[in-house]
């Protein structure tokens, strides 16, 4: 292979360096300004901007794809035959996404989805009702079906998930009753991915939120969560949202203090693209509510 040589190569390297510096400067500029949090999610969090940034799958950026696949792989292992299952799963902090339930829909009779933002629930409802403007989750469906052994069954999987989701509810993890006045039976599993570090403003609030989620479980039920570690902030379109910095050990301790036995805590050093999110690593956790807790 003939390599570029001399001044032309030096100029090319210099241009690449300048471009990298410009990109870094733009990223820094985007990360400045107002920090949105709390009730801002009801009006300022734009579901489509979020989806295009973090869930473009193979057409998106490498880091975001790897994090999505990390979660899909762990969810597949968690809800495969012989794993966690039962009658009711409650997804808390659904966001505008459905990927987290692709494997779970085979393991539970009923799935209840919930989120703080009505905008997010509307986005999910579009997909459930096959609205022509709904987000396309077929790449994620095909990926999970590939894990199961047959990518061609992705449309059957979509139909299965749509049948299994029975309710869309509003929720607030910072309240002792996260689902408010909704009448919901105790769950076999509570699922919450990449949500609590966005909803909780400090460690006391995070520990309380974990207790609130555990309160939704039957004795012996499971809490499954994925956390972006050391998250400080993330971008949704041009808006910057708050993130609570958590360590893997902090997550495990909060679960134990809430009366859970940690069965699995899978760590990965993968992190988001700096232009979109400031964080360091991820962990996927499965915990069991100890009877009597």
């Amino acid at each position: 292979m003939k390599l570029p040589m001399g001044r032309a190569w030096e100029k090319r390297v210099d241009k690449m360096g300048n471009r990298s510096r410009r990109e870094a400067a733009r990223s820094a500029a985007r990360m400045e300004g107002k920090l949105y949090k709390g009730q801002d999610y009801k009006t300022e969090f734009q579901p489509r901007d979020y989806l295009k940034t973090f869930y473009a799958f193979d057409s998106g950026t490498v880091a975001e794809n790897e994090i999505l696949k990390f979660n899909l792989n762990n969810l597949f292992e968690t809800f495969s035959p012989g794993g966690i299952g039962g009658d009711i799963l409650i997804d808390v902090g659904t966001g505008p996404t459905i990927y987290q339930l692709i494997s779970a829909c085979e393991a539970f009779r009923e799935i209840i989805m919930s989120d703080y933002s009505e905008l997010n629930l509307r986005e999910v409802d579009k997909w459930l009702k096959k609205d022509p403007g709904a987000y396309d989750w077929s790449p994620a469906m095909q990926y999970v079906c590939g894990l199961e052994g047959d990518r061609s069954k992705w449309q059957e999987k979509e139909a299965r998930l749509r049948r299994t989701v029975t309710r869309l509810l509003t929720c607030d993890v910072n309240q002792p009753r996260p689902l408010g006045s909704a009448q919901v039976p105790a769950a076999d599993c509570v699922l919450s991915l990449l949500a609590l570090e966005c909803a909780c403003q400090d460690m006391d609030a995070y520990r309380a939120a974990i207790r609130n989620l555990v309160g939704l479980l039957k004795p012996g039920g499971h809490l499954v969560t994925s956390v972006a570690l050391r998250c400080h902030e993330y971008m949704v379109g041009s808006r910057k949202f708050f993130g609570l910095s958590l360590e893997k050990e902090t997550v495990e301790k909060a679960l134990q203090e809430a009366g859970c036995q940690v069965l699995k805590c899978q760590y990965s050093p993968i992190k988001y693209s700096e232009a979109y999110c400031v964080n360091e690593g991820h962990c996927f956790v499965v915990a069991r509510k100890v009877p009597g807790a």
Side-chain angles (χ1 to χ4, degrees), residues 12-247:
R12 182 179 170 190
V13 170
D14 186 57
K15 287 180 180 178
M16 291 173 68
N18 287 338
R19 184 173 63 188
S20 296
R21 286 191 288 272
R22 286 195 299 270
E23 289 175 351
R26 283 197 294 268
S27 296
R30 292 180 71 195
M31 286 297 186
E32 294 176 356
K34 179 177 178 180
L35 188 64
Y36 292 89
K37 61 176 73 173
Q39 291 195 354
D40 293 329
Y41 276 92
K42 292 183 177 181
T43 56
E44 303 299 329
F45 186 95
Q46 298 303 313
R48 279 305 171 105
D49 288 339
Y50 176 74
L51 292 172
K52 290 174 183 176
T53 299
F54 296 101
Y55 297 100
F57 212 70
D58 288 332
S59 63
T61 52
V62 172
E64 284 62 46
N65 290 340
E66 289 305 306
I67 291 166
L68 176 54
K69 290 175 181 178
F70 169 77
N71 282 320
L72 289 175
N73 291 340
N74 276 286
L75 290 163
F76 167 70
E77 293 174 6
T78 300
F79 297 121
S80 289
I84 295 172
D87 290 325
I88 296 174
L89 178 146
I90 303 174
D91 185 29
V92 178
T94 290
T97 67
I98 57 89
Y99 76 94
Q100 66 274 22
L101 302 170
I102 298 173
S103 293
C105 72
E106 301 289 350
F108 294 88
R109 178 179 54 82
E110 177 181 355
I111 291 174
I112 298 168
M113 303 177 77
S114 65
D115 198 78
Y116 184 74
S117 165
E118 290 279 358
L119 295 175
N120 283 340
L121 293 176
R122 286 179 205 159
E123 188 67 41
V124 169
D125 197 44
K126 288 179 184 178
W127 186 86
L128 292 172
K129 293 178 177 177
K130 298 184 181 181
D131 188 299
Y135 195 72
D136 179 16
W137 288 102
S138 60
M141 288 284 173
Q142 292 170 23
Y143 181 82
V144 174
C145 288
L147 294 177
E148 295 178 354
D150 190 348
R151 285 175 63 92
S152 68
K153 292 186 176 180
W154 65 272
Q155 289 175 309
E156 295 175 32
K157 182 72 74 177
E158 284 191 336
R160 168 80 181 191
L161 178 52
R162 288 187 173 105
R163 289 196 305 269
T164 308
V165 174
T166 58
R167 301 170 73 181
L168 297 179
L169 302 175
T170 55
C171 71
D172 184 349
V173 297
N174 292 299
Q175 298 300 318
R177 293 174 57 89
L179 301 178
S181 60
Q183 298 298 307
V184 178
D188 297 281
C189 181
V190 168
L191 180 67
S192 187
L193 267 62
L194 305 172
L196 298 188
E197 60 268 42
C198 304
C200 301
Q201 301 303 303
D202 54 39
M203 277 308 307
D204 286 342
Y206 180 77
R207 284 188 284 264
I210 289 288
R211 291 194 298 271
N212 295 339
L213 296 193
V214 172
L216 297 172
L217 287 168
K218 295 177 179 177
H222 292 85
L223 176 58
V224 179
T225 187
S226 180
V227 181
L229 299 171
R230 298 183 183 178
C231 179
H232 297 283
E233 54 203 31
Y234 68 104
M235 300 301 297
V236 179
S238 61
R239 293 172 173 82
K240 178 173 64 175
F241 283 82
F242 168 84
L244 178 65
S245 182
L246 297 168
E247 302 285 347

